[in-house]
Amino acid sequence: MRNLRCVGQKSVQNVPGIEAIAWDASSDSILNLRAADGLLHLDRWTEEGLQPIASWDAPPTPYKAINLHFFADTGIACIILDIGDLIVVRESPDNEEKIEIVGSIDAAISAAAWSPDEETLVVTTKASTIVYLTRDFEELTSVELTSRDLDLSDHVSVGWGKKETQFKGKKARALRDPTVPETIDDGRLADTNESCETTISWRGDGAYLAVNSVENASQRRMIRVYSREGILDSVSEPVNGLIGPLSWRPAGNLIAGVQLFEDKRQVVFFERNGLRHGQFPLRPLDGVQNGNGVSVHSLQWNVDSTVLAVTYDDRVQLWTMGNYHWYLKQEIMDPGLKWHPEKPLVFALISKSKERIRRLQYSLEVCAGPILPPFDYGVVAVIDGKSLKITPLRQANIPPPMSLHDVNLPANANDVVITLDGSDNGTCREPIFRILVLHQTWSSSYSLDLATMLPPTQVEKPAESRETSHVANAQEKLDSGLRLSLEFRSTEVAPGPIKMTENGSLLANGRVLARGCTSYLVTPSHLIFTTSQQLLKLVHLIADTEALEVPSDTPESDERCRSIERGAKLVTAMPSIFAVVLQMPRGNLETIYPRALVLAGIRQSITKKKYKKAFLACRHQRVNMNILHDHHPEQFIANIPLIIDQIKKVEFIDLFLSSLREEDVSATMYRETLRAEQREDDGASSEGGGKVNIICNAFLEALASRKANVKNMITAQVCKNPPDLDAGLIEIVRLREKGSDRVEETVEHICFLADVNRLFDNALGLYDLQLTLLIAQQSQKDPREYLPFLQGFELMEPVRRKFSIDDHLGRFKKALHHLHDLSAFDELQAYTVRHNLYEHALSLHRHDTAKYASLMRLYADNLKSTSRFKEAATAFHYLGDHAQASECHRNANQWQDALSTASLIPLSTAQLRAFAETLAHSAVETRDFRAAATIHLDHLHDVPAAANYFCKAYLFSDAFRAIATLPSSSQPNDLLASVFDSALADSMAVITDLIADCKAQLSAQVPRIRELREKKQADPLAFLEGDNAGADVPDDISIAPTDASTAGGGTLFTRYTNRSATGAGSLASSRRSSRNRRREERKRARGKKGSVYEEEYLVSSVARLVERVNGVGEEVGRLVEWLVRRTMVERARAVETGMVEVVEMCGRAVEEVFAKEEGEVEGQEKKDTPVVKEYRKLSFLTSG
C-alpha cells in the first residue's frame, strides 16, 4: 500500500564523458570517473560542487570502465577497465603514488565485483576464467569456466517436453498432471539482444557469489554459484532466453535475472541451488514500439532488499513487491543507477547523455485521503505503472493487490495525492475526492464520488509536453495537493510539527517522543505510531508538546498500547469508526480497533449526549456498557428519557440494563489515560453501592408512561441488586388483568432473565396459582409433579392455602401470621416450638394474657434448654415460678439473685442453708473466693471459713474485720492466731513460689533471646533455616522467590512472616490450605527450641510474665503490710525484697528484649512494648 515518493533531489550539470560513479558512504558524497580531452578525471561531488581528485592519461586503446569502487576507510578509489588494467587512486597519498596501475590481466576483463565486506575482488576474464584477488590485489585462487560445470547440476528432465513420451489417448488433456510443465527449457540463447556479457553479483553476507555467463560450447547461458573460496556450489536450471543482467538479493533468498521472449520480457528468480523460484513480467515501455532498440541493461537491489531497479538503455524502473505481486512504482528517464550502500532509498543516476549526475532520495509513503472526520473514508491509492489502484477502506476493505477501483492511466505514474473536492464540503452526501496523478512530464486529475461507488472519472487531461514549464506546473499542482491533503489531516490540538527521522526517532516540535518508530499517523485527538518492539501506541494530543505522555510498553494494562504482528506498519486511520489499518510484512491488510480510539469516541459521544452512537459502539466493540453511565453519572441520570428516545429498541435497552454492575468501569477497567489537568470534560465519578438500583429505578420512573416498554420495566426490576422478582411478576399480573396478548411473551422474557426455579417460588409466594402455572410451563419441571402440587393448593381455603404456601417456601413468620388468623392456637404453639418463633409468637399475642403466658412458658423452657439461664430466669420470674428462676440464677452464677429468689419459694431454714452451702461450693470451684467468703459470713455465719476465703483472695482487711467483730466469748484472738496467721503464711508461700518462678524464667529466657539474636546477625541464612541450621547449604541456589517455592513464593527472609519482599507473598500465602496454616500456628505456639519460631515465642513469654508481675503487685503489697502488722517483719522483708528484684529484672528484660526488637528484620511482627509498673515499698523496711 506504499508508494515511492521523491523527498529529495540534487543534480550536477555539464559534466561530459561520465564513465562510472561510486558512493563514499562516510561523507555521503559521489565519486565520478569521466573521460575528457584524452584524460581520465576522478572527481568528488559534494554539496560544495565538483572537487577534482586526480587526472591521468587515458589508455590509447578503446576501453570501458567496468567497476569504480571507493574504500572509505583508506581513501582509495579502485578503477577496473575491461582491457585488464586495475588502477588505484589514492586521495591522500602517504609516501605512495597517487595514481598507480597495480595490476593488469592480459586476457582482458569481462566483469568484476567487490565483496560486501570489501576484502575480496572477483573478476572474470574473457578467457572464461574467474580470478579471486585480495584487497591488496594478491591472487587467492582462479577457477576455469568449462562445460563440465553442467555435470554438477542434478536437475532431472523426465521427458515431458518430448512428443514420444506424451500420452495421446482420449481425454489426455484432462488426465495430464497440472503440476508438470507442458514444455521443458533447454537453455537456448535469446534470438536478439544477446551481447554474451558476463555479470557477477555477491550475496549480502559475502559467503557466495553468482556468475552469469554464456557457455560457448553448448551455446547456453547459465548462472553459476560459487563459494567465497572459489568452490562451485550449483548451476542454474536451463532457461530459454536468459540474458546478462543479474542481481543477488541482499537478503539472500533470490537471484534475479532477465528472460526475453519474442513479445515480452520478464524478471525470473532463482534459488541458490539453481532452481527457478517465480517471475514477474516487465511492462511495455512508453514511446517504444514492441521494445525494439531498448534492452535491459542491469538489475540492482537496494541495500535492504525492498526495491529492485531494472535499468534499460534510456530509463530506470523501480519495482516493489507486496502480497506476491510486483508493483511498478517509479520510471525515471535516466539509465545509469547506483544505489547508496547504506541508505535504502537513496541512489545516484547518470543521464543518457553522460553529462549529468542526479542524487535522488525516496521514501515509502502511503497515499491516503483525509483522516479528519467526517471525511475519513480511508481512501488509499497504490501506484502500479499505468494502473492506479484505489480503495476506500471504510467502504470496502479489499486486500492488495486487489482494489475496489483500478484506474487505467495514459502513462506510468510517479506520484499521487488524494484530497477533498472543495466544491462539495458543505453537503450532507458522501464526499467527492480529487485525485491528482503526477507522470513524467505532466499531471492528470480524477474525481472519485463515494456516493455512486463508480470508478473515478478523469476531469483534467492536458496534452503531453516535455517542456520545463509543464514539468514545473505538474510538480506545483502536486505540491498544492499535498498541502491541501495535510490541511485535512490537521488537528484542532496541534502539538507542533511531528516527523520521523531516518533512524526511527519520532519528534514532536523537536522533542524525541520515541525511538525505534517504524510508522506513524496523526488523527484529530491522537498520535498513532508503531515500534520495532511490535507495539502500536497512541498518544493523546494536547497543545503543550512537553506534556505529551507516551505510554510504556505494557499492552496488558494500558489501553494506549497494543501488541501487533512483527513488521506491521500503519496504512491509515478512520477515527469515525475507531479503526486503524495495518499492513503486514507480506502485504496483507488488517483492520484493528484500538481500545484508546474506541473509548475516546465513546466518551466524546457521551459528552455530546449522543447516547445511541455510544451504545452502538459499545455493542459492536464489546465495551462494557457501564461506561455509558460511569463516564458522566449525573448527566446520564438526568437524561434517561432522552436515552430511551435515542436507543428506542426494546432489545437494546434490555441489553444495557442486563449489563449493569456496581463497579465503576471508568475508574478501573476503562480508566481515562488523559491526565486530569488536560481533560476538557471530566465528569467521571465513582459510584458507591447502589448504582445499579439507582439506574434501574430511574429507568422505571421514565418507562412508567410507555406502554410498549413493559419488557424493559421487567428487566429493570429483575436486574436490581438484589433482583426484585416480585415486582417483575406483578407487572405480568397487571398485563394479564388488562387482557393483553403479550403475557406469555413477557413470561418467557422474565424466565430468560432470572432462574426459573426462583421465579416459580416467587410466583407461588404471590399466592397466584395461575401465574405460577405459567412460570412452571417455561421450566424443566415435570408436569406430573407440579400440576398435582398446585391442584392441592387450589383445593384449600384461602388463608389455609397462604399458610401452606408460606410453610412450603420456608417463610415461617408469615405462616405463623396465617395460623394466628386461623385461630389455631394449639397448632400455632407446636409450629412456634418447631421453628423457634417464640419472639414473633409473643408479639402476636401480647394483648391476650393467657395465651401470652402459655407461650412464655414454652419460651422459658427453650431458654433453659439452650443454657441461656439469665434470660430464662427472667421469664420464670414473669411466670411466678421462683423455684425454676432460682435454679437458673444458680446456673448463671448469680448467687445473690439465687438466694433472694430461693427465699420466695419459700424454703425451710435447713433447705435454705443447704442451698447456700451449694452456692459457696460452686464459688470455690470457680475460684471466686470473695463470693464464697461472703456467703459463709452472711448466710452460713461461719466466720473462720469466711476469714480463710478472704485471705485466699488477698482481702486481709475483710478477713480481719470478720474475726474482730466476733464477741469476746468467741475468743477472736485465738482465731487470729489459728486462722488468720495460718492463711498469711499460705499466701506468703504462694507469692514466694511465684517470685522464684519469675526469676528462673527471666534468667533462662533473656540470655537465650540474646543468643538467638547474635546468631541471626552473624548468619541470617542459618538462623532462618531453623532445624536445618548447620547443614551443608549450596552456595549456588537463589534465595529469590519462585512460583515453585514451598514457602508460597516468599524468600527465606520472609517465609515465616506471612509477608513478601516481592509483593507476591500475600497471594501465595492465601493459597495455603487451612491444614498447613493450623500446623504453622501449632509450631508457633510451641516455640520449639532451635526452630525459627523460638525467638518470637520467648519474647511473647517475657511480655506475659511482665503482665503477670504487674498484676500481683497490689496483692504483694497487701501481704507485706499484714505480715508486718502481724509482727512477721523478716518474712515481710523477704517477700518485699524478692518482689523488688523481680520488678528490676523485668525492667532490664523489657529494655533489652523489646528495644532490640524494634530494629529487627523487616517483616517481623512488632510486639507492643510492655510497661513495668513501679512497686511501692514500705519505708520502714527499706533500711533492713
Side-chain angles (χ1 to χ4, degrees), residues 565-579:
E565 185 177 333
R566 180 184 296 273
K569 293 184 178 181
L570 292 166
V571 175
T572 188
M574 293 166 279
S576 294
I577 60 172
F578 327 118

Side-chain angles (χ1 to χ4, degrees), residues 98 105 148 200 205 217 287 289 351 359 384 408 430 445 447 473 614 651 668 676 769 780 857 1010 1071 1120 1135 1143 1151:
K98 186 177 183 67
I105 297 177
R148 293 190 302 273
I200 304 174
D205 60 358
Q289 296 295 329
S351 64
R359 183 189 187 277
D384 187 13
N408 293 321
E430 300 292 335
S445 180
S447 177
N473 185 33
E651 295 81 4
T668 56
L769 298 182
Q780 301 296 322
R857 170 68 64 176
R1010 187 185 309 120
R1071 292 196 296 264
V1120 170
V1135 172
V1143 171
E1151 182 179 353

